[in-house]
Amino acid sequence: MAPIALESEDHSRDAAFNKVMHGKSADSRGGFSSMLNKDPVALRVASEEYFKHWENKSAGTETAEARKAEYATLTRHYYNLATDIYEYGWGGSFHFCRFAYGEGFYQAIARHEHYLAHVMGLRDGMKVLDVGCGVGGPAREIAKFAGVNIVGLNNNDYQIERAGKYAAKEGLSQQLSFTKGDFMQMSFPTNSFDAVYAIEATVHAPSLEGVYSQIFRVLKPGGVFGVYEWLMTDNYNNENPHHREIRLGIEQGDGISNMVRISEGLAAIKAAGFELEMHEDLADRVDARPWYYPLDGDLRMAGSLGDLITIARMTKVGRFMAHNAIGGLERVGLAPRGTKKTADSLAHAADCLVAGGKEKLFTPMYLMVARKPKA
């Protein structure tokens, strides 16, 4: 593996920025109401730092090396901008899932988390690390399902605050804790955890081998690592302009420095030292509805009446209405400028995600389960 230049961590700087930008919005219910309570100057700074990697650049102009060099800042500001929008549109678990016949949206999300815990063999009392824990939705679900104790690692202070508050609300503070850190340079001692999982999070790493190597280090000998990885399939051709537009649209709208193919992901986990026990693209399974259906706008696929409301917010029409409402609030000074720009970027990414799924160029659920050798 070529050496990866790691960003210097400055937790005091990040905490101060979080306090200015988000204020007391971490205490709110989240979603739309939290979007309106940001410091406008700090939001503009976050927006400029994030979008500088893509603005005025075509699909033929790669900026991956610059994004890799600022991978932690890129991811941190992405979630400064996008967390409330995610919670409004998707809920507390920021990931995709498979859908069985008649299965409700949130039921399917939970089943996807349960399945990962199941294939990893998580059980009562294990000490587990959640790499890139978001606002803690999967950690709360897996803690209840498997009885494990989970440490959530995250480089975004706002998400850590929200995760802690949700855990306390559900009476899970004894099982769950959340800590600030860069997953490319973890501060945990070697051989600390019985198991580690990551759900659609390590895609933010500048090098999969780099982050997998850190996970390998902090796992105890014999420990298990399970991941749902975002990968381009091996159908992806980087010389095809249409394919590149899809990949770069996903990367821009989702805070990603660079995505790689499935074959490269498999090579990375082996190079980190793991013994690969199973791997499969779960997106290739034949299901009642595809993983991308919530973004595709076909309300006939909703699993329940309650899902109609959830899914409607994420369709093209729903996004159009919400984004124009945000734009109107910006114009009258009730929402910070830059909120709509972030929402529009997420919407473009959603369209690229659907295209990538339909054309079998992208998967958000390449499952890998691997083990650190005992000796």
Side-chain angles (χ1 to χ4, degrees):
M1 177 184 71
I4 296 293
L6 302 178
E7 279 197 73
S8 298
E9 294 188 274
D10 189 336
H11 292 190
S12 296
R13 173 204 61 197
D14 297 344
F17 186 87
N18 173 66
K19 184 176 181 180
V20 172
M21 178 168 174
H22 299 288
K24 296 182 179 180
S25 59
D27 297 323
S28 68
R29 293 180 59 187
F32 205 84
S33 61
S34 293
M35 282 184 234
L36 306 182
N37 292 303
K38 307 300 178 187
D39 179 81
V41 175
L43 188 143
R44 185 177 70 248
V45 170
S47 180
E48 289 174 353
E49 280 294 307
Y50 181 73
F51 285 107
K52 72 182 183 182
H53 294 288
W54 285 281
E55 285 187 329
N56 303 314
K57 296 180 177 67
S58 67
T61 306
E62 283 281 10
T63 60
E65 292 307 315
R67 298 199 304 265
K68 287 181 187 179
E70 298 183 9
Y71 68 93
T73 299
L74 181 80
T75 304
R76 185 172 59 255
H77 280 316
Y78 172 72
Y79 284 110
N80 277 332
L81 296 167
T83 294
D84 296 320
I85 298 173
Y86 273 16
E87 288 201 64
Y88 166 75
W90 207 259
S93 291
F94 302 165
H95 62 79
F96 292 102
C97 64
R98 298 170 57 214
F99 293 95
Y101 176 79
E103 188 174 39
F105 177 78
Y106 292 112
Q107 180 184 0
I109 288 283
R111 180 168 64 86
H112 199 60
E113 296 160 358
H114 296 171
Y115 183 71
L116 182 62
H118 165 69
V119 296
M120 291 176 64
L122 300 186
R123 58 189 183 275
D124 281 2
M126 291 178 74
K127 184 179 180 182
V128 179
L129 177 65
D130 178 340
V131 176
C133 63
V135 297
R140 295 191 298 276
E141 191 64 38
I142 290 173
K144 290 180 284 189
F145 175 78
V148 293
N149 300 304
I150 299 176
V151 177
L153 178 66
N154 196 318
N155 85 335
N156 183 276
D157 298 79
Y158 181 57
Q159 289 194 340
I160 292 171
E161 287 184 5
R162 293 195 69 76
K165 291 180 185 301
Y166 288 136
K169 181 180 179 180
E170 295 190 25
L172 293 170
S173 295
Q174 295 301 310
Q175 276 182 268
L176 301 177
S177 63
F178 302 94
T179 189
K180 167 89 168 178
D182 177 357
F183 56 28
M184 292 294 292
Q185 44 188 330
M186 297 184 196
S187 60
F188 306 113
T190 298
N191 303 335
S192 292
F193 297 95
D194 300 306
V196 179
Y197 69 84
I199 299 179
E200 302 184 22
T202 44
V203 68
H204 294 293
S207 161
L208 286 182
E209 184 181 340
V211 67
Y212 293 165
S213 295
Q214 281 291 296
I215 290 167
F216 184 90
R217 181 184 65 78
V218 302
L219 261 178
K220 296 177 182 177
V224 64
F225 170 45
V227 57
Y228 288 134
E229 193 62 82
W230 279 32
L231 294 166
M232 304 308 293
T233 71
D234 289 325
N235 296 325
Y236 173 80
N237 178 5
N238 202 49
E239 302 305 313
N240 184 317
H242 174 64
H243 289 191
R244 286 168 64 93
E245 285 179 3
I246 289 173
R247 176 177 62 82
L248 290 170
I250 295 171
E251 289 175 347
Q252 174 180 339
D254 291 291
I256 299 167
S257 60
N258 70 303
M259 280 195 293
V260 299
R261 296 180 183 88
I262 289 171
S263 56
E264 296 170 84
L266 290 170
I269 202 166
K270 293 174 184 176
F274 284 104
E275 295 175 347
L276 194 60
E277 295 187 341
M278 67 178 291
H279 64 95
E280 179 187 359
D281 185 358
L282 297 184
D284 280 343
R285 292 200 182 183
V286 179
D287 290 317
R289 293 162 289 168
W291 62 265
Y292 52 78
Y293 104 84
L295 302 177
D296 199 24
D298 190 348
L299 293 176
R300 294 172 299 177
M301 290 188 179
S304 68
L305 183 61
D307 280 357
L308 284 172
I309 299 172
T310 301
I311 304 305
R313 290 201 298 262
M314 294 181 279
T315 63
K316 287 187 177 182
V317 173
R319 297 194 308 254
F320 176 81
M321 294 174 63
H323 296 187
N324 279 280
I326 292 170
L329 292 171
E330 282 189 7
R331 286 191 292 274
V332 298
L334 295 178
R337 291 195 176 276
T339 307
K340 183 176 183 296
K341 183 176 183 178
T342 301
D344 289 343
S345 177
L346 289 170
H348 177 62
D351 294 337
C352 291
L353 286 163
V354 172
K358 287 183 174 180
E359 298 178 38
K360 298 293 184 181
L361 299 174
F362 165 79
T363 176
M365 53 185 69
Y366 198 88
L367 171 64
M368 294 183 280
V369 179
R371 196 168 298 274
K372 181 175 181 175
K374 289 185 177 180

